């Protein structure tokens, strides 16, 4: 056991991983040896060397895949569609096309849920988080109910039940708790066979000296390999074959933390399918010119990519405006992608190895030479992550669909603190404002304590709750549709909880 592990580590230049061996119990030795045997020595060596090189650069200059001189170009108008500018007839056509695709079983949704959620800081997967809605629903439940709804809408078109498989990429951190949560909740009423969980790979965290960090005497500090680990995980677990067996041709990929995500958004799918896109991204306009979001851009050679705000010269480029006053680089990436199965197969088979990791400096808890666990105050290690959007560069026909932030994007990233952005409060408010707007648009009236109709207030303010609490179950409406018959012309005392 020791000899095999030692040989791998010697080849990788990491023999120190075994330095606590004499102090480990038999069980700890077995599990450390098993963990080491999972590692490929050449990959580990390259990984640690790349991390050490990144650490040697001045702070803020860690190389990203897109570092270096580059000619960023705005998106050509021909690839961009806009929910705000499209004609109602077009929107309707794309919606119907999307529902047709879903109804025929050609669509799947794929959730990226392998992240550790370190900024939120809860000891369970983010999808299990309850942001404090009146219903108490968690992110996973909201998403599951949106799938139900879209399935129903699609089945109404085709006249037969429609499967909408939900693939969930997890990691060592999130797989077990996510499985138990779904099973405790009866898969939220979805057929269990249509919920497919699989696990992404993990990579060791590396110190600035290029040495693997030990989080315990017998445990390597491992972190998931980034949401771009998706492409290896698809191959590892035969997921693309599973999709093909089910007849799935198009996949909607999204992040767990966006409370407003439209599952298998029929309009987005219809738009991409009609354009013959192999890959597409939903974007929102930036909230302000230097907002720290990734931007979907075009490179000089007509290739698309997301540049992280940390990877571009902000300043002048980010402030640039078109003659009409619009920001020139304004396509904020919201991790909401359309990918055909054919494109995913090409990526998994041909291009995955070309994806370069992004470098992140992190605070990685470690064990000191006396065996004490230390929680560092400053970043002490490097995690290398691939990003899901780095495959845009391989697309032969890329499409961008621009949507309104208040309709589609409010991520839960951070723990609550004064002035913090993207917290449970901002996510809850975004959802409640949206449902309040839907109720008003459908003709509802709200009454105050004296039974007077309250004036409609449609001016969204991120820092305030809407004037009345109104929550609408995704089981009855996924995008504000179908509410007139329930609320039109009716008066309600808040709070209003519309359920099936
Ligand atoms: P983030 O980059 O926000 O990371 O992930 P995170 O892990 O959720 O949070 P922090 O940075 O530790 O605070 C964006 C999306 O990508 C998924 C996350 O679950 C989230 O849906 N993700 C991230 C993965 O699936 N795997 C990863 O290795 C990293």
């Amino acid at each position: 056991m020791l000899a095999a592990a030692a040989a791998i580590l010697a080849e990788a230049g990491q023999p120190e991983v075994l330095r606590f061996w004499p102090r480990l119990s038999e069980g700890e030795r077995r599990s450390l040896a098993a963990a080491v045997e999972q590692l490929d020595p050449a990959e580990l060596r390259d990984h640690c060397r790349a991390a050490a090189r990144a650490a040697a650069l001045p702070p803020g200059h860690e190389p990203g895949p897109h570092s270096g001189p580059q000619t960023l170009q705005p998106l050509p108008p021909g690839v961009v569609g806009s929910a705000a500018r499209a004609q109602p007839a077009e929107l309707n056509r794309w919606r119907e096309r999307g529902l047709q695709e879903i109804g025929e079983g050609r669509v799947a949704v794929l959730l990226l849920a392998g992240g550790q959620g370190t900024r939120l800081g809860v000891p369970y997967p983010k999808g299990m988080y309850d942001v404090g809605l009146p219903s108490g629903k968690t992110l996973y439940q909201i998403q599951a109910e949106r799938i139900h709804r879209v399935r129903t809408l699609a089945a109404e078109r085709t006249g037969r039940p429609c499967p909408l498989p939900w693939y969930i990429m997890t990691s060592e951190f999130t797989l077990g708790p996510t499985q138990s949560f779904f099973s405790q909740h009866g898969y939220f009423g979805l057929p269990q066979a249509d919920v497919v969980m699989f696990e992404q790979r993990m990579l060791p965290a590396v110190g600035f000296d290029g040495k693997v960090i030990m989080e315990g005497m017998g445990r390597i500090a491992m972190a998931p390999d980034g949401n771009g680990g998706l492409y290896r995980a698809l191959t590892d677990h035969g997921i693309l074959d599973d999709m093909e067996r089910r007849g799935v041709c198009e996949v909607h990929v999204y992040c767990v933390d966006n409370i407003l995500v439209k599952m298998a958004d029929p309009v987005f799918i219809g738009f991409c399918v009609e354009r013959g896109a192999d890959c597409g991204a939903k974007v929102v306009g930036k909230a302000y010119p230097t907002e720290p979001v990734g931007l979907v851009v075009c490179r000089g050679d007509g290739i698309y990519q997301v540049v992280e705000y940390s990877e571009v010269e902000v300043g002048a480029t980010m402030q640039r405006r078109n003659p009409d006053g619009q920001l020139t680089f304004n396509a904020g990436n919201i991790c909401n992608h359309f990918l055909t199965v054919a494109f995913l197969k090409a990526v998994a088979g041909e291009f995955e190895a070309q994806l370069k990791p992004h470098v992140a400096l992190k605070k990685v808890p470690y064990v000191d030479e006396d065996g004490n666990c230390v929680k560092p105050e400053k970043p002490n290690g490097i995690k290398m992550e691939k990003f899901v959007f780095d495959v845009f560069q391989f697309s032969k026909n890329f499409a961008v669909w621009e949507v309104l932030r208040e309709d589609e994007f409010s991520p839960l990233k951070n723990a609550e603190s004064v002035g913090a952005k993207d917290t449970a409060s901002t996510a809850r408010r975004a959802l409640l404002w949206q449902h309040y707007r839907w109720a008003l648009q459908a003709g509802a009236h709200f009454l105050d304590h004296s039974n007077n109709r309250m004036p409609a207030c449609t001016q969204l303010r991120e820092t305030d709750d809407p004037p009345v609490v109104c929550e609408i179950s995704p089981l009855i409406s996924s995008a504000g549709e179908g509410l007139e018959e329930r609320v039109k012309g009716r008066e309600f005392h808040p709070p209003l909880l519309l359920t099936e």
Side-chain angles (χ1 to χ4, degrees), residues 112-119 126 169 200 224 226-227 255-256 413:
L112 302 168
Q116 289 173 282
T118 44
R119 286 168 287 172
K126 241 190 228 185
M169 182 174 81
Q200 68 180 107
N227 56 24
C255 287
V256 70
K413 297 282 184 197

Side-chain angles (χ1 to χ4, degrees), residues 111-121 126 169-171 200-201 223-229 254-257 335 362 385-387 412-414:
L111 164 61
L112 302 168
Q116 289 173 282
T118 44
R119 286 168 287 172
L120 186 63
K126 241 190 228 185
M169 182 174 81
T170 57
S171 64
Q200 68 180 107
R201 296 192 197 177
D225 58 354
N227 56 24
Y254 71 100
C255 287
V256 70
D257 48 26
C335 194
K362 300 265 180 174
E385 296 190 335
K386 290 186 173 178
F387 288 171
L412 169 64
K413 297 282 184 197
N414 300 308

Side-chain angles (χ1 to χ4, degrees), residues 54-347:
L57 293 167
H61 290 74
E62 299 79 27
H66 315 306
S67 314
Q70 52 188 324
T71 344
L72 295 191
Q73 305 215 333
L75 298 169
V79 304
V80 187
S82 154
R85 288 192 297 275
Q87 298 299 320
E90 283 178 305
L91 287 174
N92 208 32
R93 193 178 73 232
W94 290 324
R95 183 177 304 107
E96 290 305 315
R97 179 69 197 262
L99 286 171
Q100 193 68 33
E101 293 292 309
I102 297 166
E104 285 168 10
R106 293 162 60 82
V107 178
V109 275
L110 193 153
L111 164 61
L112 302 168
Q116 289 173 282
T118 44
R119 286 168 287 172
L120 186 63
V122 289
Y124 50 83
K126 241 190 228 185
M128 289 163 54
Y129 199 88
D130 161 9
V131 300
L133 291 168
S135 63
K137 287 177 187 172
T138 58
L139 295 175
Y140 281 150
Q141 181 169 358
I142 294 170
Q143 292 168 21
E145 292 187 357
R146 287 184 186 148
I147 291 181
H148 270 292
R149 175 69 186 161
V150 176
R151 282 164 54 120
T152 306
L153 291 173
E156 281 169 13
R157 303 308 194 270
T158 59
R160 54 178 188 274
C162 121
L164 179 51
W166 190 10
Y167 294 93
I168 304 182
M169 182 174 81
T170 57
S171 64
E172 197 175 299
F173 296 107
T174 57
L175 178 62
T178 299
Q179 276 174 331
S180 327
F181 193 71
F182 272 69
S183 130
Q184 272 161 26
H185 290 86
Y187 287 76
F188 303 103
L190 293 168
Q192 192 177 336
D194 287 349
V195 182
V196 180
M197 294 184 200
F198 60 102
E199 204 176 333
Q200 68 180 107
R201 296 192 197 177
M202 305 282 281
L203 285 172
V206 182
F208 296 160
D209 56 358
K211 293 294 173 192
V212 165
I213 298 180
M214 300 299 291
E215 67 176 15
M217 289 194 292
R219 276 195 328 273
I220 299 174
M222 300 289 281
D225 58 354
N227 56 24
L230 170 68
Y231 306 107
R232 293 227 284 201
L234 289 176
T235 308
D236 288 349
H237 301 284
I239 299 297
L240 294 175
D241 297 336
D242 185 82
M243 288 178 177
E244 284 195 317
R245 263 196 308 277
R246 292 171 192 254
V248 169
C249 301
E250 294 116 25
V251 186
H252 176 219
V253 174
Y254 71 100
C255 287
V256 70
D257 48 26
N258 177 12
I259 197 166
L260 298 184
V261 65
K262 287 188 179 170
M263 311 289 298
D265 176 12
V267 179
F268 181 42
I269 288 167
F271 169 79
C272 291
V273 169
E274 201 180 284
R275 294 209 161 195
D278 54 3
C279 178
K282 258 192 197 183
V283 299
V284 296
K286 279 191 286 182
Y288 50 94
T290 53
E291 188 188 10
V293 287
L295 289 178
V296 183
V297 296
C298 182
R299 277 196 330 233
D301 42 6
I303 287 177
Y304 297 90
Q305 67 181 52
V306 174
V307 284
E308 286 293 287
Y309 55 93
S310 53
E311 290 177 3
V312 275
E313 291 297 328
V314 262
T317 312
M318 293 302 113
Q319 306 274 0
R320 223 167 92 192
R321 287 183 187 271
N322 301 334
D324 64 359
Q326 270 273 346
L327 284 168
T328 307
F329 294 98
N330 197 32
N333 178 43
I334 57 170
C335 194
N336 218 300
H337 309 313
F338 168 93
L339 300 160
T340 62
V341 172
F343 181 68
L344 283 169
K345 279 178 75 178
V347 169

